Amino acid sequence: MSRGQFVARRLIQMVPVLIGITVIVFALIQAIPGDPATTMLGLQARPEAVAALNRELGLDRPLWEQYARYLGDVATLDLGESLKFKVAVASLLQTRLAVSLFLIAYATALTILIALPLGIAAALRKDGPFDQIVRALLMVTMVMPGFWVGILLLIVFSIRLGLFPVSGYGQGFGGHLYHLFLPALTIALSLSPILVRSLRGSILEAMGSDYVKTARAKGLRERAVVLAHVLRNALIPAVTLLGLSVGYLMGGTVIIENVFSLPGAGKLLVESIGARDYPVVQSTTLVFAALVILVNLATDLVYSFLDPRVRLG
Amino acid sequence: MATDLSSATATTGTSASADASAVVAAPLADATLRGAAAVRRPGLIRWRERNLIIGGTLIALIALVALFAPVIAPYGAQETDYAARLVPPGGDHLLGTDNLGRDILSRIIHGSRIDLRVGIVSVIFPLVLGVVLGSLAGYYGGLVDTFVMRLVDIVQAFPFLILIIAIVAVLGPGLRNMYVAVALVAWVSYARLLRGEILVAKHREYVEAARAMGARDVRVVGRHILPNVISSALVFAMADVILYIVLAASLSYLGLGERPPAPEWGAMITEGRTFLATAWWISAFPGLAIVLTGIAFSIFGDGLADALRPNRR
């Protein structure tokens, strides 16, 4: 199978999942207890207003017709209108997503900066004191609630030491980097343990493999063995793991954006829940899921380039 | 906490020494506790058993605290003392007091009842649902398998936390709706795991034998296959307990879980948010309680994973 066919097949495989996602997101609105329009507008709403909203959202139509209409809207990127902001959800999400995606990319970069050296060092000194300390630390950071870590970092670095801003997104690239440092670090601290463990495991596995024994047997220095043979192979699973972590990262951003008051899609989601702005809740969930699918697809493709052994099937 | 990652988290959470894929990959079919004991060197408590003992003791201690909370706690959970507001840690109030003069230590002790229950109750529904659906898919294959696995794909496309948040948002805040959301979302990782195990186990001789003796499907799966393959799912469940405690705390933080004045640890952290600059202890200590509980379950999970996999190393 050629790479083109491989890509085509993966794209076709995505279709049922994409449709399934729209069904679930569609069902979310249906699952609102009682009459959705009344819930959204509040109990004091005038009956005419409720009827009008029902008509506007198409909630007075048969279920299958509602879904067909929803699917059509989604296919044309019409995500409806926010009840609170009175603007198209798509445009609302666009600006908010930029913040979230910046934060996710930043957190991923920090995760790599933290996890790569730790994972390599721990694996090279397996069962030594350094390895033990790293593993014990990771056990702790792994179970720390993200919002709690965020709050502690805020207390120490923003409030006590005044090194970082308490909230906000900042201006320009440098401003973003500065303002988002603590939020990104918070997320990176929770993702790093997973990556370090994976790296340590795959490095140890590579160290015990025949090609490494061969490399050593032919007299390569240890440094060359590690760099040219061990790492090249051990990094591939780490790349995959990072790709698969994007959903986890998105969950993290939702929480952390709220801790640091960042104007991202996650904060929008929580605000919309408070305001019963269900079209926004619905579309934010849909867009996050769609992004996860895209990143997973990209991960698969990158993986097939990185590892020539992957049969494109 | 994407579902794909929830499984990764669960796995890594259970085995400090193993990489994310090891538990999934290792066929646990005939690995039992007895198997681990059989290879035991006499006169030496092995590391894996030490983990099991240390973790188990810690969990038992936490459970005892929860059980005897009213006896152990020096003050009541809602007992206010306006003469002793925002008292720093030390003296009569070991961990300080909050803005209403409530003793933080006592509230944490009382809160252990909520958080421990949340962790354990949350894990039961997805475990049962996942085991049943995963067994059906793995044992019968064909259309059932296709249907269940497509459903798994669709649910896993959503970021775990975001789908949970969306469902709770629609159903309304509170722990009960969190249980519903977790059951609807988290079953997928158990189903995927069980399906894989059963695909391997169903061609084993003991299964063929049971079938040859005329046992019906329910009996073959329930009496012969499940006892042999369930252990890996239980290891996952053990690691997921802390995942759900953190989840419940995070939902409280977002205003979707347990509400103040309940002494739920996450709600306590949230309450302290207003006093970050002056009284850090209100938010810091409840988070520490989560971390300690998490460490206990992680160590125990590690021990359990190692004990159930005697051939490692």
Side-chain angles (χ1 to χ4, degrees), chain A residues 28 33 139 148 197 248 251 259 292, chain B residues 1 5 12 161 170 253 283-284:
Chain A
L28 278 177
M139 186 178 268
W148 179 69
R197 279 179 181 181
Y248 179 82
V259 174
V292 170
Chain B
M1 277 167 274
L5 209 79
T12 42
L161 185 63
V170 163
Y253 178 76
S283 285

Side-chain angles (χ1 to χ4, degrees), chain A residues 165-176:
Chain A
V166 178
S167 66
Y169 180 45
Q171 294 291 317
F173 187 75
H176 296 338

